[in-house]
Short mmCIF file of all heavy atoms in Angstrom, two decimals:
data_model
loop_
_atom_site.label_atom_id
_atom_site.label_comp_id
_atom_site.label_asym_id
_atom_site.label_seq_id
_atom_site.Cartn_x
_atom_site.Cartn_y
_atom_site.Cartn_z
N ASN A 86 33.27 -15.67 30.37
CA ASN A 86 32.58 -14.86 31.30
C ASN A 86 33.36 -13.71 31.84
O ASN A 86 32.99 -13.08 32.86
CB ASN A 86 31.97 -15.66 32.44
CG ASN A 86 30.56 -15.29 32.79
OD1 ASN A 86 29.85 -14.70 31.95
ND2 ASN A 86 30.17 -15.52 34.04
N THR A 87 34.50 -13.37 31.20
CA THR A 87 35.25 -12.23 31.69
C THR A 87 34.52 -10.95 31.28
O THR A 87 34.41 -9.99 32.10
CB THR A 87 36.65 -12.21 31.02
OG1 THR A 87 37.41 -13.39 31.39
CG2 THR A 87 37.47 -10.95 31.41
N ILE A 88 34.03 -10.90 30.04
CA ILE A 88 33.17 -9.79 29.56
C ILE A 88 31.78 -10.33 29.39
O ILE A 88 31.57 -11.39 28.87
CB ILE A 88 33.74 -9.24 28.24
CG1 ILE A 88 35.13 -8.63 28.47
CG2 ILE A 88 32.75 -8.20 27.67
CD1 ILE A 88 35.78 -8.15 27.16
N LYS A 89 30.77 -9.54 29.90
CA LYS A 89 29.44 -10.02 29.87
C LYS A 89 28.76 -9.85 28.50
O LYS A 89 27.94 -10.72 28.07
CB LYS A 89 28.56 -9.31 30.95
CG LYS A 89 28.91 -9.74 32.35
CD LYS A 89 28.55 -11.17 32.62
CE LYS A 89 28.81 -11.58 34.06
NZ LYS A 89 28.54 -13.00 34.28
N ALA A 90 29.05 -8.77 27.81
CA ALA A 90 28.43 -8.52 26.55
C ALA A 90 29.23 -7.44 25.75
O ALA A 90 29.93 -6.62 26.37
CB ALA A 90 26.99 -8.12 26.68
N VAL A 91 29.09 -7.45 24.44
CA VAL A 91 29.62 -6.37 23.63
C VAL A 91 28.57 -6.00 22.58
O VAL A 91 27.72 -6.84 22.24
CB VAL A 91 30.95 -6.76 22.89
CG1 VAL A 91 32.05 -6.99 23.91
CG2 VAL A 91 30.76 -7.97 21.98
N LEU A 92 28.63 -4.81 22.12
CA LEU A 92 27.80 -4.35 21.01
C LEU A 92 28.65 -4.40 19.73
O LEU A 92 29.72 -3.84 19.66
CB LEU A 92 27.30 -2.99 21.26
CG LEU A 92 26.06 -2.92 22.20
CD1 LEU A 92 26.46 -3.15 23.63
CD2 LEU A 92 25.32 -1.60 22.05
N ILE A 93 28.19 -5.08 18.73
CA ILE A 93 28.92 -5.30 17.46
C ILE A 93 28.30 -4.42 16.41
O ILE A 93 27.05 -4.43 16.20
CB ILE A 93 28.88 -6.76 17.12
CG1 ILE A 93 29.55 -7.67 18.10
CG2 ILE A 93 29.55 -6.89 15.69
CD1 ILE A 93 29.61 -9.08 17.66
N GLN A 94 29.12 -3.61 15.77
CA GLN A 94 28.66 -2.80 14.66
C GLN A 94 28.77 -3.63 13.34
O GLN A 94 28.99 -4.81 13.39
CB GLN A 94 29.59 -1.55 14.59
CG GLN A 94 29.59 -0.76 15.86
CD GLN A 94 30.49 0.45 15.78
OE1 GLN A 94 30.11 1.49 15.27
NE2 GLN A 94 31.76 0.28 16.20
N ASN A 95 28.61 -2.90 12.25
CA ASN A 95 28.66 -3.57 10.96
C ASN A 95 29.65 -2.88 9.99
O ASN A 95 29.26 -2.23 9.05
CB ASN A 95 27.26 -3.55 10.31
CG ASN A 95 26.28 -4.43 11.06
OD1 ASN A 95 26.47 -5.69 11.09
ND2 ASN A 95 25.27 -3.85 11.62
N PRO A 96 30.96 -3.02 10.36
CA PRO A 96 31.96 -2.35 9.50
C PRO A 96 32.02 -2.80 8.06
O PRO A 96 32.33 -2.02 7.18
CB PRO A 96 33.25 -2.61 10.26
CG PRO A 96 32.99 -3.82 11.05
CD PRO A 96 31.55 -3.74 11.43
N PHE A 97 31.69 -4.13 7.86
CA PHE A 97 31.68 -4.61 6.47
C PHE A 97 30.64 -3.85 5.65
O PHE A 97 30.89 -3.41 4.51
CB PHE A 97 31.39 -6.09 6.44
CG PHE A 97 31.44 -6.68 5.09
CD1 PHE A 97 32.66 -7.24 4.61
CD2 PHE A 97 30.35 -6.72 4.22
CE1 PHE A 97 32.75 -7.80 3.31
CE2 PHE A 97 30.44 -7.22 2.95
CZ PHE A 97 31.65 -7.82 2.50
N THR A 98 29.42 -3.65 6.26
CA THR A 98 28.37 -2.91 5.57
C THR A 98 28.78 -1.51 5.31
O THR A 98 28.52 -0.94 4.27
CB THR A 98 27.08 -2.98 6.42
OG1 THR A 98 26.72 -4.34 6.55
CG2 THR A 98 25.96 -2.18 5.77
N MET A 99 29.44 -0.86 6.30
CA MET A 99 29.94 0.54 6.12
C MET A 99 30.81 0.61 4.88
O MET A 99 30.71 1.54 4.06
CB MET A 99 30.65 1.04 7.33
CG MET A 99 29.77 1.17 8.60
SD MET A 99 30.82 1.70 10.00
CE MET A 99 29.68 1.33 11.37
N GLY A 100 31.80 -0.30 4.80
CA GLY A 100 32.70 -0.29 3.68
C GLY A 100 32.06 -0.61 2.34
O GLY A 100 32.31 -0.01 1.33
N TYR A 101 31.23 -1.68 2.39
CA TYR A 101 30.54 -2.15 1.16
C TYR A 101 29.61 -1.15 0.58
O TYR A 101 29.72 -0.73 -0.61
CB TYR A 101 29.85 -3.40 1.55
CG TYR A 101 29.24 -4.21 0.43
CD1 TYR A 101 30.02 -5.11 -0.33
CD2 TYR A 101 27.87 -4.15 0.05
CE1 TYR A 101 29.51 -5.87 -1.37
CE2 TYR A 101 27.35 -4.90 -0.97
CZ TYR A 101 28.15 -5.77 -1.67
OH TYR A 101 27.63 -6.51 -2.69
N LEU A 102 28.70 -0.62 1.45
CA LEU A 102 27.79 0.39 0.96
C LEU A 102 28.42 1.74 0.76
O LEU A 102 28.04 2.51 -0.16
CB LEU A 102 26.59 0.53 1.92
CG LEU A 102 25.68 -0.64 2.05
CD1 LEU A 102 24.51 -0.32 2.98
CD2 LEU A 102 25.11 -1.12 0.68
N GLY A 103 29.44 2.04 1.58
CA GLY A 103 30.16 3.30 1.38
C GLY A 103 30.79 3.37 0.01
O GLY A 103 30.77 4.40 -0.64
N MET A 104 31.39 2.28 -0.45
CA MET A 104 31.97 2.22 -1.80
C MET A 104 30.91 2.39 -2.85
O MET A 104 31.09 3.17 -3.87
CB MET A 104 32.72 0.91 -2.02
CG MET A 104 33.32 0.70 -3.36
SD MET A 104 34.56 1.99 -3.76
CE MET A 104 35.85 1.55 -2.56
N ALA A 105 29.78 1.75 -2.70
CA ALA A 105 28.67 1.92 -3.66
C ALA A 105 28.21 3.35 -3.69
O ALA A 105 27.94 3.91 -4.81
CB ALA A 105 27.52 0.95 -3.31
N GLN A 106 28.11 3.98 -2.53
CA GLN A 106 27.68 5.40 -2.50
C GLN A 106 28.68 6.35 -3.11
O GLN A 106 28.37 7.31 -3.75
CB GLN A 106 27.37 5.80 -1.03
CG GLN A 106 26.20 5.11 -0.37
CD GLN A 106 24.89 5.67 -0.87
OE1 GLN A 106 24.82 6.57 -1.72
NE2 GLN A 106 23.78 5.16 -0.35
N ALA A 107 29.97 6.01 -2.95
CA ALA A 107 31.04 6.83 -3.53
C ALA A 107 30.91 6.84 -5.07
O ALA A 107 30.96 7.88 -5.69
CB ALA A 107 32.39 6.33 -3.05
N VAL A 108 30.73 5.65 -5.60
CA VAL A 108 30.63 5.53 -7.10
C VAL A 108 29.36 6.16 -7.55
O VAL A 108 29.27 6.91 -8.56
CB VAL A 108 30.72 4.03 -7.49
CG1 VAL A 108 30.39 3.90 -8.98
CG2 VAL A 108 32.06 3.45 -7.17
N ALA A 109 28.26 6.00 -6.79
CA ALA A 109 26.99 6.60 -7.20
C ALA A 109 27.09 8.10 -7.23
O ALA A 109 26.60 8.82 -8.14
CB ALA A 109 25.87 6.19 -6.21
N SER A 110 27.79 8.70 -6.22
CA SER A 110 27.92 10.12 -6.19
C SER A 110 28.78 10.62 -7.39
O SER A 110 28.48 11.69 -7.96
CB SER A 110 28.55 10.58 -4.87
OG SER A 110 29.89 10.12 -4.75
N LEU A 111 29.82 9.86 -7.73
CA LEU A 111 30.69 10.23 -8.85
C LEU A 111 29.89 10.17 -10.16
O LEU A 111 30.17 10.94 -11.12
CB LEU A 111 31.88 9.32 -8.94
CG LEU A 111 32.93 9.56 -7.83
CD1 LEU A 111 33.94 8.46 -7.75
CD2 LEU A 111 33.61 10.91 -8.03
N LYS A 112 28.93 9.24 -10.25
CA LYS A 112 28.14 9.12 -11.46
C LYS A 112 26.92 10.09 -11.49
O LYS A 112 26.24 10.21 -12.49
CB LYS A 112 27.60 7.72 -11.55
CG LYS A 112 28.67 6.62 -11.77
CD LYS A 112 29.34 6.71 -13.07
CE LYS A 112 28.40 6.31 -14.23
NZ LYS A 112 29.14 6.32 -15.55
N GLY A 113 26.75 10.85 -10.38
CA GLY A 113 25.64 11.78 -10.33
C GLY A 113 24.34 11.13 -10.02
O GLY A 113 23.25 11.74 -10.21
N PHE A 114 24.34 9.93 -9.44
CA PHE A 114 23.14 9.24 -9.07
C PHE A 114 22.64 9.78 -7.70
O PHE A 114 23.37 10.33 -6.96
CB PHE A 114 23.37 7.70 -8.99
CG PHE A 114 23.68 7.05 -10.28
CD1 PHE A 114 24.08 5.76 -10.29
CD2 PHE A 114 23.52 7.70 -11.49
CE1 PHE A 114 24.40 5.10 -11.48
CE2 PHE A 114 23.84 7.11 -12.67
CZ PHE A 114 24.26 5.75 -12.72
N ASP A 115 21.37 9.52 -7.45
CA ASP A 115 20.78 9.84 -6.19
C ASP A 115 21.35 8.93 -5.06
O ASP A 115 21.30 7.72 -5.13
CB ASP A 115 19.26 9.63 -6.23
CG ASP A 115 18.57 10.05 -4.91
OD1 ASP A 115 19.24 10.58 -4.03
OD2 ASP A 115 17.38 9.75 -4.81
N THR A 116 21.95 9.58 -4.04
CA THR A 116 22.56 8.77 -2.93
C THR A 116 21.66 8.65 -1.73
O THR A 116 22.05 8.12 -0.73
CB THR A 116 23.92 9.40 -2.54
OG1 THR A 116 23.71 10.75 -2.18
CG2 THR A 116 24.94 9.30 -3.67
N GLY A 117 20.44 9.19 -1.80
CA GLY A 117 19.47 8.94 -0.74
C GLY A 117 19.72 9.86 0.45
O GLY A 117 20.17 10.97 0.29
N PRO A 118 19.36 9.37 1.63
CA PRO A 118 19.42 10.20 2.83
C PRO A 118 20.87 10.57 3.17
O PRO A 118 21.81 9.89 2.75
CB PRO A 118 18.80 9.33 3.92
CG PRO A 118 19.02 7.91 3.45
CD PRO A 118 18.89 8.00 1.93
N LYS A 119 21.02 11.55 4.03
CA LYS A 119 22.40 12.01 4.44
C LYS A 119 22.99 11.03 5.47
O LYS A 119 24.26 11.01 5.65
CB LYS A 119 22.36 13.39 5.06
CG LYS A 119 22.11 14.49 4.01
CD LYS A 119 23.37 14.64 3.16
CE LYS A 119 23.30 15.83 2.21
NZ LYS A 119 24.48 15.96 1.41
N PHE A 120 22.20 10.22 6.13
CA PHE A 120 22.71 9.30 7.15
C PHE A 120 22.08 7.93 6.96
O PHE A 120 20.81 7.85 6.84
CB PHE A 120 22.42 9.85 8.56
CG PHE A 120 22.90 8.93 9.67
CD1 PHE A 120 24.21 8.94 10.11
CD2 PHE A 120 22.03 8.01 10.26
CE1 PHE A 120 24.66 8.10 11.10
CE2 PHE A 120 22.48 7.19 11.31
CZ PHE A 120 23.75 7.25 11.69
N ILE A 121 22.88 6.88 6.99
CA ILE A 121 22.38 5.51 7.04
C ILE A 121 22.84 4.84 8.30
O ILE A 121 24.09 4.77 8.54
CB ILE A 121 22.88 4.73 5.78
CG1 ILE A 121 22.30 5.26 4.50
CG2 ILE A 121 22.55 3.24 5.93
CD1 ILE A 121 22.71 4.57 3.25
N ASN A 122 21.93 4.42 9.07
CA ASN A 122 22.26 3.74 10.36
C ASN A 122 22.56 2.27 10.04
O ASN A 122 21.67 1.52 9.61
CB ASN A 122 21.09 3.86 11.35
CG ASN A 122 21.32 3.11 12.61
OD1 ASN A 122 22.40 2.64 12.91
ND2 ASN A 122 20.27 3.01 13.41
N THR A 123 23.80 1.87 10.26
CA THR A 123 24.23 0.50 9.88
C THR A 123 23.97 -0.50 11.01
O THR A 123 24.28 -1.71 10.84
CB THR A 123 25.65 0.48 9.44
OG1 THR A 123 26.46 1.14 10.41
CG2 THR A 123 25.86 1.15 8.10
N GLY A 124 23.49 -0.01 12.19
CA GLY A 124 22.99 -0.93 13.20
C GLY A 124 24.04 -1.51 14.15
O GLY A 124 25.23 -1.48 13.87
N VAL A 125 23.53 -2.10 15.22
CA VAL A 125 24.38 -2.85 16.16
C VAL A 125 23.59 -4.09 16.61
O VAL A 125 22.41 -4.20 16.54
CB VAL A 125 24.73 -2.02 17.45
CG1 VAL A 125 25.61 -0.86 17.08
CG2 VAL A 125 23.49 -1.58 18.21
N THR A 126 24.42 -5.06 17.08
CA THR A 126 23.86 -6.32 17.64
C THR A 126 24.51 -6.56 18.97
O THR A 126 25.73 -6.40 19.17
CB THR A 126 24.19 -7.49 16.70
OG1 THR A 126 23.64 -7.24 15.41
CG2 THR A 126 23.62 -8.82 17.29
N VAL A 127 23.76 -6.97 20.01
CA VAL A 127 24.33 -7.31 21.28
C VAL A 127 24.75 -8.77 21.28
O VAL A 127 23.94 -9.65 20.88
CB VAL A 127 23.27 -7.10 22.41
CG1 VAL A 127 23.84 -7.53 23.78
CG2 VAL A 127 22.85 -5.66 22.44
N VAL A 128 25.95 -9.00 21.66
CA VAL A 128 26.49 -10.39 21.70
C VAL A 128 26.91 -10.66 23.11
O VAL A 128 27.69 -9.94 23.73
CB VAL A 128 27.74 -10.56 20.75
CG1 VAL A 128 28.34 -11.90 20.97
CG2 VAL A 128 27.27 -10.37 19.34
N ASN A 129 26.40 -11.78 23.69
CA ASN A 129 26.82 -12.25 25.01
C ASN A 129 27.12 -13.71 24.93
O ASN A 129 27.29 -14.32 23.88
CB ASN A 129 25.66 -11.96 26.03
CG ASN A 129 24.32 -12.51 25.56
OD1 ASN A 129 24.28 -13.54 24.89
ND2 ASN A 129 23.23 -11.83 25.90
N ILE A 130 27.26 -14.35 26.09
CA ILE A 130 27.67 -15.77 26.11
C ILE A 130 26.72 -16.66 25.37
O ILE A 130 27.13 -17.70 24.83
CB ILE A 130 27.86 -16.24 27.57
CG1 ILE A 130 28.68 -17.55 27.61
CG2 ILE A 130 26.52 -16.38 28.31
CD1 ILE A 130 29.16 -17.96 29.02
N TYR A 131 25.47 -16.24 25.25
CA TYR A 131 24.45 -17.06 24.57
C TYR A 131 24.53 -16.89 23.04
O TYR A 131 23.95 -17.67 22.32
CB TYR A 131 23.07 -16.70 25.10
CG TYR A 131 22.97 -16.78 26.62
CD1 TYR A 131 22.88 -15.67 27.39
CD2 TYR A 131 23.04 -18.04 27.23
CE1 TYR A 131 22.86 -15.74 28.77
CE2 TYR A 131 22.90 -18.17 28.62
CZ TYR A 131 22.80 -16.99 29.40
OH TYR A 131 22.76 -17.05 30.72
N LYS A 132 25.16 -15.82 22.60
CA LYS A 132 25.12 -15.49 21.15
C LYS A 132 26.49 -15.43 20.56
O LYS A 132 26.66 -14.98 19.41
CB LYS A 132 24.47 -14.10 20.97
CG LYS A 132 23.05 -14.02 21.46
CD LYS A 132 22.56 -12.60 21.23
CE LYS A 132 21.13 -12.35 21.79
NZ LYS A 132 20.66 -11.00 21.61
#
């Protein structure tokens, strides 16, 4: 209970999909939108 809550991002997804997008761009494939929101989750004592 020192900290009430934190917002957790998704760095694994950033790295995982970022690598896939890097290879797709090198192959000349469609990489889709210019921005992908990888999201956040609120974590507190209950979660």
